[in-house]
Structure formats: structure tokens, C-alpha cells
Amino acid sequence: MLSVMKMYKRIRELRKYKGMTQTEMAQVLHCSQRVYSDYERGKVDISTEMLIKLADFHGVSIDYILNRTDE
């Protein structure tokens, strides 16, 4: 459970690193701000498709988002 919560923290940190709002990030991912907010808070499971979009957009691996690596 702890590593799952770290994943949600990581996607929030990636967004903030780019200086983006949740609304801007939601537009990139083609979802609502509420859905994206739920992703960051761990209230909704992130689909594989969305993980791929997040990784591609931020230029990181899915393993990085999943907190399986720090690289």
C-alpha cells in the first residue's frame, strides 16, 4: 500500500515540476480535472493507457511512476 501511495505522490511531483495545474494536466491527458485530481489522491486506479500517457509526457519510465526505480 505504501508504494502505491508513493506512485500518486510521484505523479503530483512530476506535474508540479513542470509548473502545471491539475486542469492543464487533465487537458494533456484528455480527462477531466476531477478525474486527474482523483488520480493524484489515489481515489481512482490509473489505467495502463493513462500510465503510458503520463510516462511519455513526462519523459520517464512507467517503472519510475510506479516507484520501482528512481531513474
Side-chain angles (χ1 to χ4, degrees):
M1 180 69 174
L2 182 60
S3 65
V4 171
M5 294 310 293
K6 286 181 180 181
M7 172 183 71
Y8 301 120
K9 182 179 177 186
R10 189 155 271 183
I11 65 169
R12 181 174 45 253
E13 289 171 350
L14 286 167
R15 173 183 58 81
K16 287 183 174 185
Y17 180 77
K18 288 200 178 224
M20 297 178 74
T21 65
Q22 287 183 346
T23 300
E24 292 168 330
M25 198 66 228
Q27 289 171 344
V28 168
L29 299 173
H30 305 288
C31 67
S32 71
Q33 181 274 329
R34 182 171 179 91
V35 168
Y36 183 78
S37 175
D38 286 346
Y39 288 154
E40 284 193 3
R41 292 182 295 146
K43 294 202 171 229
V44 175
D45 286 335
I46 302 174
S47 69
T48 303
E49 177 185 355
M50 198 60 70
L51 281 172
I52 292 168
K53 285 181 181 182
L54 282 164
D56 287 349
F57 179 77
H58 290 295
V60 298
S61 69
I62 291 174
D63 279 346
Y64 180 79
I65 292 174
L66 295 176
N67 210 48
R68 295 179 53 148
T69 184
D70 288 329
E71 295 180 25

